[in-house]
Amino acid sequence: MGCRQSFRQCCDRPKNTNVRISLPAVCFVWQIVVIILFGIFIRYDQESDAHWAEYRKFQNISSDIENDFYFRYPSFQDVHVMIFVGFGFLMTFLKRYSFSAVGFNFLIAAFGLQWALLMQGWFQSLDPMDGKIKISMESLINADFCVASCLIAYGAVLGKLSPVQLMVMTLFGITLYAVDEYIILNLIHARDAGGSMVIHTFGAYYGLSISWMLYRPNLDQSKRLNGSVYHSDVFAMIGTLFLWMFWPSFNSAITDHGDGQHRAAINTYLLDMVIGHMVHIQNSTLAGGVAVGTAAEFMLMPYGSLIIGFCCGIISTLGYIYITPFMEKYLKIQDTCGIHNLHAMPGVIGGIVGAVTAAAASEGVYGKAGLINTFDFTGKWKDMVPSRQGGHQAAGLCVALCFGVGGGIIVGCILRMPIWGDAPDDNCFDDELYWELPEDEESIPPILEDNNHMRNRDV
Amino acid sequence: MGCRQSFRQCCDRPKNTNVRISLPAVCFVWQIVVIILFGIFIRYDQESDAHWAEYRKFQNISSDIENDFYFRYPSFQDVHVMIFVGFGFLMTFLKRYSFSAVGFNFLIAAFGLQWALLMQGWFQSLDPMDGKIKISMESLINADFCVASCLIAYGAVLGKLSPVQLMVMTLFGITLYAVDEYIILNLIHARDAGGSMVIHTFGAYYGLSISWMLYRPNLDQSKRLNGSVYHSDVFAMIGTLFLWMFWPSFNSAITDHGDGQHRAAINTYLLDMVIGHMVHIQNSTLAGGVAVGTAAEFMLMPYGSLIIGFCCGIISTLGYIYITPFMEKYLKIQDTCGIHNLHAMPGVIGGIVGAVTAAAASEGVYGKAGLINTFDFTGKWKDMVPSRQGGHQAAGLCVALCFGVGGGIIVGCILRMPIWGDAPDDNCFDDELYWELPEDEESIPPILEDNNHMRNRDV
Amino acid sequence: MGCRQSFRQCCDRPKNTNVRISLPAVCFVWQIVVIILFGIFIRYDQESDAHWAEYRKFQNISSDIENDFYFRYPSFQDVHVMIFVGFGFLMTFLKRYSFSAVGFNFLIAAFGLQWALLMQGWFQSLDPMDGKIKISMESLINADFCVASCLIAYGAVLGKLSPVQLMVMTLFGITLYAVDEYIILNLIHARDAGGSMVIHTFGAYYGLSISWMLYRPNLDQSKRLNGSVYHSDVFAMIGTLFLWMFWPSFNSAITDHGDGQHRAAINTYLLDMVIGHMVHIQNSTLAGGVAVGTAAEFMLMPYGSLIIGFCCGIISTLGYIYITPFMEKYLKIQDTCGIHNLHAMPGVIGGIVGAVTAAAASEGVYGKAGLINTFDFTGKWKDMVPSRQGGHQAAGLCVALCFGVGGGIIVGCILRMPIWGDAPDDNCFDDELYWELPEDEESIPPILEDNNHMRNRDV
């Protein structure tokens, strides 16, 4: 504790909030690096390459409609809307931070997606023949997922970090995510179609740990801006609705063709309905889709989805009332958007539900082929049984938690350094630091003034 | 009339607007009931069940892409956007009722969808073998349609009912819809792909009848809030646009695979264009998609769509100018959103157009197979001829009208009881009754104040 | 110059801004004409006609899923969202012109789409057998594209033209577009999947030339309204995001089935990410999708997309800082939305990139079949080689430029006539001229007043 204290003091020098040079410089250098790496590593896969016609003939594929594009594209676009409109507008609720909410969300996503394509490519789809990463629609969806975890983390630190800090947070977050995902999905062989563990649990604890490391004891000096106004809340509803509506696409985007996608969409839809029922718009509504993430493609049964939604809605709502204030007061974790209620708890619940559902899977319910398809009991894992799969799912959840908390603490330390241009405690949640704002709403009256002027002229 | 008068007096006791306990209690109990019913009745159908791989082999289906999911999912998501963003934001035009517009829209939809899955399942897709309802993507779309009728009804009573009343209205509305739909589509064998009769005519007259039963003679005491401001109108445009743009998806979502979906989308699109041409944004723009609902999948011909759009635009616009004020003044029907112009009249027109188009169908235009596919002249109805089909369509329209008006009057009576927590006449259209509102727009200036404070400190 | 001057004087008589009669009259007459033309010319094509079942059997098509509807519909809906929500809300940034931005965007689109279906039909899909135009999903997408060019032109004249002028601009714009497109795609045989040349270059220079012809020397008298407020900027972000997100759909909507659509979507997506990285939200973010329009379906390679995005972002940003003010001051071109940076320059770059990429295409990269498919080296063009194709692409770009500038100047002359009801220089950018506006934001306080009233009553 003493050590942390002295580190804190070393970091708490006066801050320089000017990012006018550092931000473009970082972006510029970064973009050059990415372009070079893309030039070396990234190529189209056979479904998007111009050789598709030959490949199709060779593979005896009967029609162009079986190109993966037509299986994935509608879900992909929905996920894309969630990332940019959903997450972006969800965070516009602060009265004077809407530009930054949407703008930095955009920055994180655009920056993160490129890095994610590379990191996930190296870990998951490097072609051993030519050392290239072959990208397709599925890679883009996976990159969107990866970025979602960083946007969740952004929710915890909204209004408190500078854009340069956000880029550092994203850079490490994506890297950790790719490793974490590789361990959970490939080494441990846990299934996580909608990312309860990989995306939500990891992302939320990553953000909360960073927020903990960057605790601002005098944040109430910015209290005047840490709240909403009527119209900013309506903007936030746009984000909430788009996130919420497209949750079925999110959870079904990368599941197996056919029944897997169908079932994942139905499960998420049903659960969403219960959650929606709980009215706490902008808050607990989003918890449901998270909690069914892992189990979305399993045979959860329609009533199972409803029960999970019901429990999550209650837990998430209680979280807002009791846990968030408790965390802020006693654990020194300032969670601007309440991601602990929206993503962390539902994510953990989702992981547990996934483990239980997997352990309880039986051939009677799934059919022999269905069991193998759903849990991918093939190749190296062909002797796996559902009960052991349950254990692997639980192990996956633990890994996600460790990566989130551990990674967050380390990155938080880095971000405490006084070189990143973050706002002082009495100036958080304010667009003015980073954007040229238009004149205020109140200055519209000139119209009236001008009408007088015209009337005078008429006289 | 005297009887109605005395019933009114009995109901017009002072109102208690507190729903803080009754609303969560109703939701909680209701949700438990639904979960139990889902546990007993609802299962995946063969296209979303893990046995799909076996089913596919058994049915000799060549590819996963022929899973109904890929036929329906894009339309489904569009319909979903219409329900939540379209209807929700359409009603945000009131200056201080945006939270309730979006929030209660959400409540009705989430609540109604669950009940609709059960009700429609019992009537239409109960598996006689095991007594279970098998749900699929098509069930979800049908449930969305069902809920749309209640959201239309919500438009007539916007700002005047409490959330508990809205839930009662929805509960009965969904039930009536399911019966109504069963009679029209199954017993009478009318075709109604886009729901001109089943959804719009029924929904609109249901809402108008309720509004008539709940007539508030002193509503002008809330006049200060029954209007828009600049930005609330822009929010409403978001709703209008999303409803309007996705109308082709709405009308093609459950039509036949192949040419049916294709034609329904084109017809609606063309018609939309004419309507859009009429500029009365937020108003008549939406009438077109309604009017082509029934006939969308018929061979209406492109110019036919244009003519219908043209007529509807004119009628709907005239409706806003003449009929709505007339209805309010003389018929004692207060129609907040003008659903009579948007849904009731165009719905009736759509039903008539459907009847005429069906009666005029010929083998020359449709081809033999096309005629059978389009009108489903199979099984019990294999001897049906187009001219008789026209009669059945007309009968369907009458049934929809009767259910709407009759159901609305009965439910209106129930809702007059003074136990539901609705607002007094001088406090309608106000979010404050039901939501914790943020401080006002005007209170942003503190920023300036604080800048002064900082400047002082610098001194 | 002297001639232009005297023409100007002849036109600069006092203006009559009343369009209450002329606008509906023009719309009405126009709509009647279109309905008659539709009746004469437009029919369903075989994929949307009820004879599809027979056609399918005849053509030996194995499944309904191979109806073009399922290839195109998701992209079509995304393009539709771009046209109405994207373009519409992008232009809501002006503080008192949001109604007109969305409303006139709607008017142009709805009006233009009908005319585009006819014009493009006559030029491209007239059936020689029966003299009818056969429309399908692809026709609707093409019409959306056609209209996009007029909406781009609208960006340059936003706030300065009356709705009647906009309709004239659209009427000629669509006509020019159809001719231009026919020459470039059919006669010259250039490829332009995402329309860098046909849509963006043509549209932008068309709008800029009109704006030049209609130069208003005293426009700074409307300066008070030519700017944004906080919330109007947030609305504009909605437009930006929807345009930006769906760019991959725009560029892939009409490319070849299979790998072409897949590759176009990936290329645009990658490029978007770099651009997004540049943070200048609302501005340069949109330049990327434009610049990759022509080459989207080519084998541009992922890093190629990134490089184009990078350059375009820089050029577009510099354009806002240096070129727009220069154009206004010295070239007398007033470009309200900065379309020169968003569409004109990126469009030209896109055309050049397309020419270079086409010229550099080789059988090694594309494969023999791929080359033929991608560049459509069939029929009359079967002896074409990539290097000559590059020349044809360049020729296409020149044609687009000529049509844009030439057409714009002529139409600009027509629009200078003082009969169209445009606003005087001191009253531009104002909704009040054309819409009945609700009372002002400031007038909400009545709530407080009323609270007092209630408190008094309690006393």
Side-chain angles (χ1 to χ4, degrees), chain A residues 95 230 249 258 261-263 267 273 276-277 301 365, chain B residues 31 44 48 50-51 67 70 73 77 98 431 439:
Chain A
K95 71 183 85 162
Y230 197 79
S249 294
Q261 286 194 292
H262 203 146
R263 195 159 58 242
N267 278 339
M273 289 311 134
H277 197 179
M301 290 300 146
V365 175
Chain B
Q31 200 56 63
Y44 305 116
S48 51
H51 290 85
N67 191 305
Y70 302 102
Y73 194 66
Q77 279 294 23
S98 304
D431 271 347
E439 28 171 348

PDB file of all heavy atoms in Angstrom, chain A residues 95 230 249 258 261-263 267 273 276-277 301 365, chain B residues 31 44 48 50-51 67 70 73 77 98 431 439:
ATOM      1  N   LYS A  95     -24.286  15.769 -19.849  1.00  0.00           N
ATOM      2  CA  LYS A  95     -24.845  16.952 -20.491  1.00  0.00           C
ATOM      3  C   LYS A  95     -23.874  17.672 -21.414  1.00  0.00           C
ATOM      4  O   LYS A  95     -24.283  18.276 -22.392  1.00  0.00           O
ATOM      5  CB  LYS A  95     -25.403  17.909 -19.436  1.00  0.00           C
ATOM      6  CG  LYS A  95     -24.378  18.622 -18.593  1.00  0.00           C
ATOM      7  CD  LYS A  95     -25.046  19.487 -17.527  1.00  0.00           C
ATOM      8  CE  LYS A  95     -25.369  18.647 -16.300  1.00  0.00           C
ATOM      9  NZ  LYS A  95     -25.613  19.416 -15.093  1.00  0.00           N
ATOM     10  N   TYR A 230     -32.374  16.832 -20.188  1.00  0.00           N
ATOM     11  CA  TYR A 230     -33.474  16.109 -20.829  1.00  0.00           C
ATOM     12  C   TYR A 230     -33.085  15.547 -22.183  1.00  0.00           C
ATOM     13  O   TYR A 230     -33.216  14.354 -22.428  1.00  0.00           O
ATOM     14  CB  TYR A 230     -34.680  17.044 -20.959  1.00  0.00           C
ATOM     15  CG  TYR A 230     -35.978  16.329 -21.221  1.00  0.00           C
ATOM     16  CD1 TYR A 230     -36.653  15.713 -20.185  1.00  0.00           C
ATOM     17  CD2 TYR A 230     -36.521  16.264 -22.495  1.00  0.00           C
ATOM     18  CE1 TYR A 230     -37.843  15.044 -20.408  1.00  0.00           C
ATOM     19  CE2 TYR A 230     -37.712  15.599 -22.730  1.00  0.00           C
ATOM     20  CZ  TYR A 230     -38.369  15.000 -21.682  1.00  0.00           C
ATOM     21  OH  TYR A 230     -39.535  14.331 -21.909  1.00  0.00           O
ATOM     22  N   SER A 249     -28.324 -10.261 -32.934  1.00  0.00           N
ATOM     23  CA  SER A 249     -27.320 -10.373 -33.993  1.00  0.00           C
ATOM     24  C   SER A 249     -25.936 -10.559 -33.396  1.00  0.00           C
ATOM     25  O   SER A 249     -25.125 -11.331 -33.902  1.00  0.00           O
ATOM     26  CB  SER A 249     -27.305  -9.114 -34.852  1.00  0.00           C
ATOM     27  OG  SER A 249     -28.497  -8.995 -35.551  1.00  0.00           O
ATOM     28  N   GLY A 258     -26.810 -22.204 -39.826  1.00  0.00           N
ATOM     29  CA  GLY A 258     -28.008 -23.010 -39.629  1.00  0.00           C
ATOM     30  C   GLY A 258     -28.611 -22.855 -38.247  1.00  0.00           C
ATOM     31  O   GLY A 258     -28.857 -21.737 -37.792  1.00  0.00           O
ATOM     32  N   GLN A 261     -27.091 -20.261 -35.444  1.00  0.00           N
ATOM     33  CA  GLN A 261     -27.430 -18.839 -35.547  1.00  0.00           C
ATOM     34  C   GLN A 261     -28.896 -18.607 -35.206  1.00  0.00           C
ATOM     35  O   GLN A 261     -29.235 -17.667 -34.503  1.00  0.00           O
ATOM     36  CB  GLN A 261     -27.154 -18.335 -36.981  1.00  0.00           C
ATOM     37  CG  GLN A 261     -25.672 -18.164 -37.283  1.00  0.00           C
ATOM     38  CD  GLN A 261     -25.426 -17.345 -38.548  1.00  0.00           C
ATOM     39  OE1 GLN A 261     -25.733 -17.798 -39.637  1.00  0.00           O
ATOM     40  NE2 GLN A 261     -24.887 -16.157 -38.415  1.00  0.00           N
ATOM     41  N   HIS A 262     -29.739 -19.489 -35.712  1.00  0.00           N
ATOM     42  CA  HIS A 262     -31.177 -19.369 -35.486  1.00  0.00           C
ATOM     43  C   HIS A 262     -31.484 -19.376 -33.985  1.00  0.00           C
ATOM     44  O   HIS A 262     -32.217 -18.536 -33.464  1.00  0.00           O
ATOM     45  CB  HIS A 262     -31.873 -20.539 -36.191  1.00  0.00           C
ATOM     46  CG  HIS A 262     -33.307 -20.293 -36.532  1.00  0.00           C
ATOM     47  ND1 HIS A 262     -33.894 -20.817 -37.655  1.00  0.00           N
ATOM     48  CD2 HIS A 262     -34.273 -19.592 -35.903  1.00  0.00           C
ATOM     49  CE1 HIS A 262     -35.161 -20.456 -37.692  1.00  0.00           C
ATOM     50  NE2 HIS A 262     -35.416 -19.712 -36.647  1.00  0.00           N
ATOM     51  N   ARG A 263     -30.904 -20.351 -33.292  1.00  0.00           N
ATOM     52  CA  ARG A 263     -31.197 -20.529 -31.871  1.00  0.00           C
ATOM     53  C   ARG A 263     -30.615 -19.392 -31.030  1.00  0.00           C
ATOM     54  O   ARG A 263     -31.268 -18.886 -30.114  1.00  0.00           O
ATOM     55  CB  ARG A 263     -30.634 -21.866 -31.398  1.00  0.00           C
ATOM     56  CG  ARG A 263     -31.166 -22.324 -30.083  1.00  0.00           C
ATOM     57  CD  ARG A 263     -30.978 -23.812 -29.919  1.00  0.00           C
ATOM     58  NE  ARG A 263     -29.583 -24.199 -30.018  1.00  0.00           N
ATOM     59  CZ  ARG A 263     -29.082 -25.005 -30.954  1.00  0.00           C
ATOM     60  NH1 ARG A 263     -29.867 -25.521 -31.870  1.00  0.00           N
ATOM     61  NH2 ARG A 263     -27.808 -25.298 -30.959  1.00  0.00           N
ATOM     62  N   ASN A 267     -32.870 -17.158 -28.566  1.00  0.00           N
ATOM     63  CA  ASN A 267     -32.596 -17.093 -27.129  1.00  0.00           C
ATOM     64  C   ASN A 267     -32.389 -15.656 -26.660  1.00  0.00           C
ATOM     65  O   ASN A 267     -32.953 -15.228 -25.653  1.00  0.00           O
ATOM     66  CB  ASN A 267     -31.340 -17.912 -26.786  1.00  0.00           C
ATOM     67  CG  ASN A 267     -31.651 -19.385 -26.660  1.00  0.00           C
ATOM     68  OD1 ASN A 267     -32.798 -19.766 -26.436  1.00  0.00           O
ATOM     69  ND2 ASN A 267     -30.641 -20.220 -26.807  1.00  0.00           N
ATOM     70  N   MET A 273     -36.629  -9.616 -24.046  1.00  0.00           N
ATOM     71  CA  MET A 273     -37.994  -9.175 -23.772  1.00  0.00           C
ATOM     72  C   MET A 273     -38.240  -9.060 -22.279  1.00  0.00           C
ATOM     73  O   MET A 273     -38.861  -8.112 -21.806  1.00  0.00           O
ATOM     74  CB  MET A 273     -39.004 -10.153 -24.380  1.00  0.00           C
ATOM     75  CG  MET A 273     -39.041 -10.088 -25.879  1.00  0.00           C
ATOM     76  SD  MET A 273     -39.168  -8.398 -26.449  1.00  0.00           S
ATOM     77  CE  MET A 273     -37.943  -8.401 -27.722  1.00  0.00           C
ATOM     78  N   GLY A 276     -36.399  -6.076 -21.023  1.00  0.00           N
ATOM     79  CA  GLY A 276     -37.028  -4.839 -21.460  1.00  0.00           C
ATOM     80  C   GLY A 276     -38.217  -4.513 -20.578  1.00  0.00           C
ATOM     81  O   GLY A 276     -38.519  -3.364 -20.293  1.00  0.00           O
ATOM     82  N   HIS A 277     -38.858  -5.555 -20.177  1.00  0.00           N
ATOM     83  CA  HIS A 277     -40.019  -5.481 -19.327  1.00  0.00           C
ATOM     84  C   HIS A 277     -39.746  -4.704 -18.039  1.00  0.00           C
ATOM     85  O   HIS A 277     -40.645  -4.224 -17.373  1.00  0.00           O
ATOM     86  CB  HIS A 277     -40.424  -6.931 -19.016  1.00  0.00           C
ATOM     87  CG  HIS A 277     -41.797  -7.058 -18.490  1.00  0.00           C
ATOM     88  ND1 HIS A 277     -42.358  -8.245 -18.175  1.00  0.00           N
ATOM     89  CD2 HIS A 277     -42.722  -6.126 -18.202  1.00  0.00           C
ATOM     90  CE1 HIS A 277     -43.564  -8.046 -17.712  1.00  0.00           C
ATOM     91  NE2 HIS A 277     -43.813  -6.781 -17.739  1.00  0.00           N
ATOM     92  N   MET A 301     -33.344 -23.617 -23.910  1.00  0.00           N
ATOM     93  CA  MET A 301     -34.805 -23.638 -23.856  1.00  0.00           C
ATOM     94  C   MET A 301     -35.346 -22.218 -23.665  1.00  0.00           C
ATOM     95  O   MET A 301     -34.793 -21.434 -22.919  1.00  0.00           O
ATOM     96  CB  MET A 301     -35.332 -24.529 -22.717  1.00  0.00           C
ATOM     97  CG  MET A 301     -35.119 -25.990 -22.942  1.00  0.00           C
ATOM     98  SD  MET A 301     -35.986 -26.481 -24.477  1.00  0.00           S
ATOM     99  CE  MET A 301     -34.887 -27.731 -25.068  1.00  0.00           C
ATOM    100  N   VAL A 365     -31.168 -34.319 -25.709  1.00  0.00           N
ATOM    101  CA  VAL A 365     -31.638 -32.987 -26.048  1.00  0.00           C
ATOM    102  C   VAL A 365     -31.044 -32.487 -27.364  1.00  0.00           C
ATOM    103  O   VAL A 365     -31.730 -31.879 -28.173  1.00  0.00           O
ATOM    104  CB  VAL A 365     -31.297 -31.999 -24.905  1.00  0.00           C
ATOM    105  CG1 VAL A 365     -31.677 -30.584 -25.306  1.00  0.00           C
ATOM    106  CG2 VAL A 365     -31.995 -32.409 -23.630  1.00  0.00           C
TER     107      VAL A 365
ATOM    108  N   GLN B  31     -44.403 -11.538 -14.932  1.00  0.00           N
ATOM    109  CA  GLN B  31     -43.233 -12.190 -15.490  1.00  0.00           C
ATOM    110  C   GLN B  31     -43.107 -13.630 -14.984  1.00  0.00           C
ATOM    111  O   GLN B  31     -42.753 -14.533 -15.741  1.00  0.00           O
ATOM    112  CB  GLN B  31     -41.980 -11.382 -15.135  1.00  0.00           C
ATOM    113  CG  GLN B  31     -40.806 -11.678 -16.014  1.00  0.00           C
ATOM    114  CD  GLN B  31     -41.105 -11.473 -17.479  1.00  0.00           C
ATOM    115  OE1 GLN B  31     -41.393 -10.377 -17.907  1.00  0.00           O
ATOM    116  NE2 GLN B  31     -41.092 -12.535 -18.262  1.00  0.00           N
ATOM    117  N   TYR B  44     -38.110 -24.944 -29.152  1.00  0.00           N
ATOM    118  CA  TYR B  44     -37.585 -24.580 -30.474  1.00  0.00           C
ATOM    119  C   TYR B  44     -38.254 -25.423 -31.549  1.00  0.00           C
ATOM    120  O   TYR B  44     -38.562 -26.587 -31.337  1.00  0.00           O
ATOM    121  CB  TYR B  44     -36.082 -24.842 -30.553  1.00  0.00           C
ATOM    122  CG  TYR B  44     -35.264 -24.184 -29.490  1.00  0.00           C
ATOM    123  CD1 TYR B  44     -34.558 -24.939 -28.563  1.00  0.00           C
ATOM    124  CD2 TYR B  44     -35.195 -22.801 -29.391  1.00  0.00           C
ATOM    125  CE1 TYR B  44     -33.795 -24.339 -27.576  1.00  0.00           C
ATOM    126  CE2 TYR B  44     -34.440 -22.193 -28.411  1.00  0.00           C
ATOM    127  CZ  TYR B  44     -33.739 -22.968 -27.499  1.00  0.00           C
ATOM    128  OH  TYR B  44     -32.999 -22.373 -26.521  1.00  0.00           O
ATOM    129  N   SER B  48     -34.470 -24.374 -35.549  1.00  0.00           N
ATOM    130  CA  SER B  48     -33.583 -23.767 -34.568  1.00  0.00           C
ATOM    131  C   SER B  48     -33.132 -24.781 -33.522  1.00  0.00           C
ATOM    132  O   SER B  48     -32.363 -24.461 -32.626  1.00  0.00           O
ATOM    133  CB  SER B  48     -34.276 -22.575 -33.897  1.00  0.00           C
ATOM    134  OG  SER B  48     -35.545 -22.946 -33.417  1.00  0.00           O
ATOM    135  N   ALA B  50     -31.187 -28.164 -32.072  1.00  0.00           N
ATOM    136  CA  ALA B  50     -29.881 -28.771 -32.368  1.00  0.00           C
ATOM    137  C   ALA B  50     -30.011 -30.013 -33.234  1.00  0.00           C
ATOM    138  O   ALA B  50     -29.025 -30.516 -33.760  1.00  0.00           O
ATOM    139  CB  ALA B  50     -29.151 -29.098 -31.081  1.00  0.00           C
ATOM    140  N   HIS B  51     -31.242 -30.529 -33.401  1.00  0.00           N
ATOM    141  CA  HIS B  51     -31.432 -31.667 -34.299  1.00  0.00           C
ATOM    142  C   HIS B  51     -31.508 -31.258 -35.770  1.00  0.00           C
ATOM    143  O   HIS B  51     -31.758 -32.094 -36.624  1.00  0.00           O
ATOM    144  CB  HIS B  51     -32.724 -32.427 -33.926  1.00  0.00           C
ATOM    145  CG  HIS B  51     -32.606 -33.165 -32.630  1.00  0.00           C
ATOM    146  ND1 HIS B  51     -32.831 -32.558 -31.418  1.00  0.00           N
ATOM    147  CD2 HIS B  51     -32.262 -34.447 -32.344  1.00  0.00           C
ATOM    148  CE1 HIS B  51     -32.661 -33.432 -30.441  1.00  0.00           C
ATOM    149  NE2 HIS B  51     -32.313 -34.585 -30.965  1.00  0.00           N
ATOM    150  N   ASN B  67     -31.947 -22.762 -44.321  1.00  0.00           N
ATOM    151  CA  ASN B  67     -32.608 -22.577 -43.034  1.00  0.00           C
ATOM    152  C   ASN B  67     -33.415 -21.281 -43.097  1.00  0.00           C
ATOM    153  O   ASN B  67     -32.921 -20.257 -43.599  1.00  0.00           O
ATOM    154  CB  ASN B  67     -31.535 -22.471 -41.933  1.00  0.00           C
ATOM    155  CG  ASN B  67     -32.120 -22.546 -40.535  1.00  0.00           C
ATOM    156  OD1 ASN B  67     -33.008 -21.764 -40.186  1.00  0.00           O
ATOM    157  ND2 ASN B  67     -31.643 -23.476 -39.740  1.00  0.00           N
ATOM    158  N   TYR B  70     -32.111 -17.538 -42.755  1.00  0.00           N
ATOM    159  CA  TYR B  70     -31.487 -16.690 -43.760  1.00  0.00           C
ATOM    160  C   TYR B  70     -32.506 -16.041 -44.684  1.00  0.00           C
ATOM    161  O   TYR B  70     -32.221 -15.038 -45.323  1.00  0.00           O
ATOM    162  CB  TYR B  70     -30.439 -17.477 -44.538  1.00  0.00           C
ATOM    163  CG  TYR B  70     -29.398 -18.017 -43.589  1.00  0.00           C
ATOM    164  CD1 TYR B  70     -29.410 -19.352 -43.202  1.00  0.00           C
ATOM    165  CD2 TYR B  70     -28.473 -17.168 -43.023  1.00  0.00           C
ATOM    166  CE1 TYR B  70     -28.491 -19.825 -42.285  1.00  0.00           C
ATOM    167  CE2 TYR B  70     -27.549 -17.634 -42.109  1.00  0.00           C
ATOM    168  CZ  TYR B  70     -27.567 -18.964 -41.742  1.00  0.00           C
ATOM    169  OH  TYR B  70     -26.672 -19.416 -40.825  1.00  0.00           O
ATOM    170  N   TYR B  73     -34.173 -13.332 -41.428  1.00  0.00           N
ATOM    171  CA  TYR B  73     -33.515 -12.542 -40.399  1.00  0.00           C
ATOM    172  C   TYR B  73     -33.357 -11.063 -40.745  1.00  0.00           C
ATOM    173  O   TYR B  73     -33.664 -10.210 -39.900  1.00  0.00           O
ATOM    174  CB  TYR B  73     -32.162 -13.155 -40.011  1.00  0.00           C
ATOM    175  CG  TYR B  73     -31.622 -12.583 -38.736  1.00  0.00           C
ATOM    176  CD1 TYR B  73     -32.271 -12.811 -37.522  1.00  0.00           C
ATOM    177  CD2 TYR B  73     -30.493 -11.778 -38.724  1.00  0.00           C
ATOM    178  CE1 TYR B  73     -31.803 -12.260 -36.351  1.00  0.00           C
ATOM    179  CE2 TYR B  73     -30.015 -11.229 -37.550  1.00  0.00           C
ATOM    180  CZ  TYR B  73     -30.665 -11.470 -36.374  1.00  0.00           C
ATOM    181  OH  TYR B  73     -30.206 -10.920 -35.213  1.00  0.00           O
ATOM    182  N   GLN B  77     -34.962  -8.121 -38.354  1.00  0.00           N
ATOM    183  CA  GLN B  77     -34.272  -7.047 -37.635  1.00  0.00           C
ATOM    184  C   GLN B  77     -34.839  -5.691 -38.022  1.00  0.00           C
ATOM    185  O   GLN B  77     -34.957  -4.794 -37.192  1.00  0.00           O
ATOM    186  CB  GLN B  77     -32.766  -7.103 -37.896  1.00  0.00           C
ATOM    187  CG  GLN B  77     -32.046  -8.127 -37.034  1.00  0.00           C
ATOM    188  CD  GLN B  77     -32.068  -7.772 -35.555  1.00  0.00           C
ATOM    189  OE1 GLN B  77     -32.934  -7.038 -35.093  1.00  0.00           O
ATOM    190  NE2 GLN B  77     -31.131  -8.299 -34.807  1.00  0.00           N
ATOM    191  N   SER B  98     -40.976  12.645 -23.838  1.00  0.00           N
ATOM    192  CA  SER B  98     -40.091  11.784 -24.626  1.00  0.00           C
ATOM    193  C   SER B  98     -39.699  10.523 -23.855  1.00  0.00           C
ATOM    194  O   SER B  98     -39.628   9.438 -24.413  1.00  0.00           O
ATOM    195  CB  SER B  98     -38.831  12.540 -25.020  1.00  0.00           C
ATOM    196  OG  SER B  98     -39.148  13.714 -25.698  1.00  0.00           O
ATOM    197  N   ASP B 431     -43.754  13.853 -18.298  1.00  0.00           N
ATOM    198  CA  ASP B 431     -42.864  12.796 -17.827  1.00  0.00           C
ATOM    199  C   ASP B 431     -42.722  12.797 -16.314  1.00  0.00           C
ATOM    200  O   ASP B 431     -42.433  11.771 -15.714  1.00  0.00           O
ATOM    201  CB  ASP B 431     -41.460  12.993 -18.420  1.00  0.00           C
ATOM    202  CG  ASP B 431     -41.301  12.293 -19.754  1.00  0.00           C
ATOM    203  OD1 ASP B 431     -42.167  11.473 -20.093  1.00  0.00           O
ATOM    204  OD2 ASP B 431     -40.312  12.563 -20.444  1.00  0.00           O
ATOM    205  N   GLU B 439     -32.121  17.685 -14.230  1.00  0.00           N
ATOM    206  CA  GLU B 439     -32.323  19.129 -14.157  1.00  0.00           C
ATOM    207  C   GLU B 439     -32.548  19.680 -15.568  1.00  0.00           C
ATOM    208  O   GLU B 439     -32.319  19.001 -16.549  1.00  0.00           O
ATOM    209  CB  GLU B 439     -31.082  19.764 -13.552  1.00  0.00           C
ATOM    210  CG  GLU B 439     -29.853  18.919 -13.856  1.00  0.00           C
ATOM    211  CD  GLU B 439     -28.546  19.564 -13.500  1.00  0.00           C
ATOM    212  OE1 GLU B 439     -28.553  20.774 -13.222  1.00  0.00           O
ATOM    213  OE2 GLU B 439     -27.529  18.876 -13.524  1.00  0.00           O
TER     214      GLU B 439
END
